[in-house]
Amino acid sequence: MKNIEFPLFKTKAENVKERFNLTDPQEREAYFQLKAGLEIRKLQEYLKENSFICYLLGKKNSGKGTYAKMLKEVVDKDKIEHFSIGDMVRTLDEVVGDKEKLAELENFLSKNYRGYLPLKDIVEALKSRSTKILLPSELILALVKMKISTDNKKALFIDGFPRNLDQVSYSLFFRDLIGYRDDPDVFILIDVPEKVIDERIKYRVVCPKCQTSRNLKLLPTKYIGFDQAKKEYFLLCDNPECSNEIRLQGKEGDELGIEPIRDRLETDEELMKKTFALYGVPKVLLRNSVPVEKAKEYLDDYEITPEFNYQQNGNEIIIKEKPWLIQDDQGIDSYSLMPPPVVVSLIKQLVEVLGL
Ligand SMILES: [Zn+2]
């Protein structure tokens, strides 16, 4: 990222010849044990009696959810929760359509909501699915509190809050507001080059039937086809419960990459700068990219995200794989990391800020 230097994190294992296929769940598990086994056990032990709150901050499509879910998977599925504000707001649609759930929501809010907009206006806006009223931060806070009060004390990875600069101050006192014991809170800042986000969007494809989502360049399925008319390659669904005759499709507008979300990315960058400058709150800094010239020193080669190219050979399609080369936001030739090494860095930094 411009203006903030995210340190490089070494995940290379010295004197280990073993290689891991990080897209295979079992090999990934072995990989985590090798690279962060001790730290994983420390976190597991800690979570028996304690919890924490992490705020995930990164640009849209930077993979916040992916990292949090993988950490949960590796450390403790029952004691860790990835909590997306966006998902929660989307479920409100369902709540307002259900009389009983709506009454429950109104009841909770009448006791817990404090804010500048009258509660009845907000509920009316929710009911009419009006997008004219932007959900105020005070309401988001009350909703998060509702969600947490119905859950057991779990370590939380909050994704999507703070979302705007005015919400940063709320996040500073959030732990106190929701009465979350004395457990620590941590800001997790994720640095992903815009080029990475751009290509993730440009090449993403989804199965129209089962919603399996892949990427033509970065994460193909097992079955590749070639469209003679359009002169382009496509992916066929490889979900065993779906059909391998269905073509995965890109969304209209995705070919524009990050251009349509440029404003959002700028706000996200401002948010990261602001939280980076905060005193008194521990921070974890994660970076998705490593300069090519440093790669050998810091990484094992299988930790680098590959890109896939296709070639026709008679009736056969040959898949070629090579390290995906991108320019980071400073224009430096870099490799992008697979999610697991970023999660190793997250685990180790968490152990350190929690003082375990
Ligand atoms: Zn499918």
Side-chain angles (χ1 to χ4, degrees), residues 79-90:
K79 292 276 172 70
I80 297 174
E81 173 120 39
H82 168 246
F83 180 32
S84 155
I85 305 292
D87 289 351
M88 179 194 69
V89 169
R90 277 185 286 278

Side-chain angles (χ1 to χ4, degrees), residues 207 209-212 237 239 242-243 246 248:
C207 171
K209 193 175 170 197
C210 72
Q211 311 305 319
T212 290
C237 193
N239 175 358
C242 192
S243 153
I246 297 183
L248 275 58

Side-chain angles (χ1 to χ4, degrees), residues 5-133:
E5 186 65 38
F6 281 67
L8 292 169
F9 194 91
K10 191 170 183 170
T11 48
K12 188 185 179 85
E14 304 291 352
N15 307 317
V16 178
K17 289 236 169 61
E18 205 178 349
R19 297 175 50 87
F20 300 91
N21 171 6
L22 297 181
T23 56
D24 177 281
Q26 265 162 2
E27 289 198 33
R28 197 161 60 222
E29 173 66 31
Y31 164 85
F32 277 117
Q33 286 309 320
L34 173 75
K35 301 237 165 165
L38 176 68
E39 290 82 5
I40 289 169
R41 286 190 292 283
K42 282 183 177 176
L43 279 176
Q44 287 166 338
E45 193 56 38
Y46 174 83
L47 287 169
K48 282 183 186 164
E49 299 290 335
N50 310 279
S51 59
F52 52 78
I53 295 182
C54 289
Y55 301 95
L56 295 162
L57 288 148
K59 291 181 182 169
K60 191 178 166 69
N61 285 309
S62 60
K64 287 172 287 195
T66 306
Y67 298 139
K69 284 176 201 161
M70 194 171 280
L71 180 120
K72 170 185 157 119
E73 210 49 40
V74 175
V75 176
D76 196 329
K77 288 189 202 77
D78 302 322
K79 292 276 172 70
I80 297 174
E81 173 120 39
H82 168 246
F83 180 32
S84 155
I85 305 292
D87 289 351
M88 179 194 69
V89 169
R90 277 185 286 278
T91 61
L92 282 179
D93 254 8
E94 187 195 322
V95 171
V96 292
D98 182 314
K99 257 193 179 152
E100 234 166 81
K101 283 185 185 163
L102 181 62
E104 211 178 296
L105 175 72
E106 285 184 285
N107 183 35
F108 182 89
L109 289 179
S110 69
K111 291 181 196 131
N112 290 279
Y113 167 77
R114 294 172 156 190
Y116 295 104
L117 282 178
L119 184 58
K120 75 174 183 11
D121 289 6
I122 294 173
V123 174
E124 278 311 312
L126 288 174
K127 276 191 202 158
S128 63
R129 291 172 171 70
S130 160
T131 47
K132 264 181 275 162
I133 292 189

Side-chain angles (χ1 to χ4, degrees), residues 60 66 73 89 136 164 203 235 270 319 336 355:
K60 191 178 166 69
T66 306
E73 210 49 40
V89 169
N164 299 308
Y203 296 98
L235 304 178
E270 283 304 312
I319 305 173
S336 173

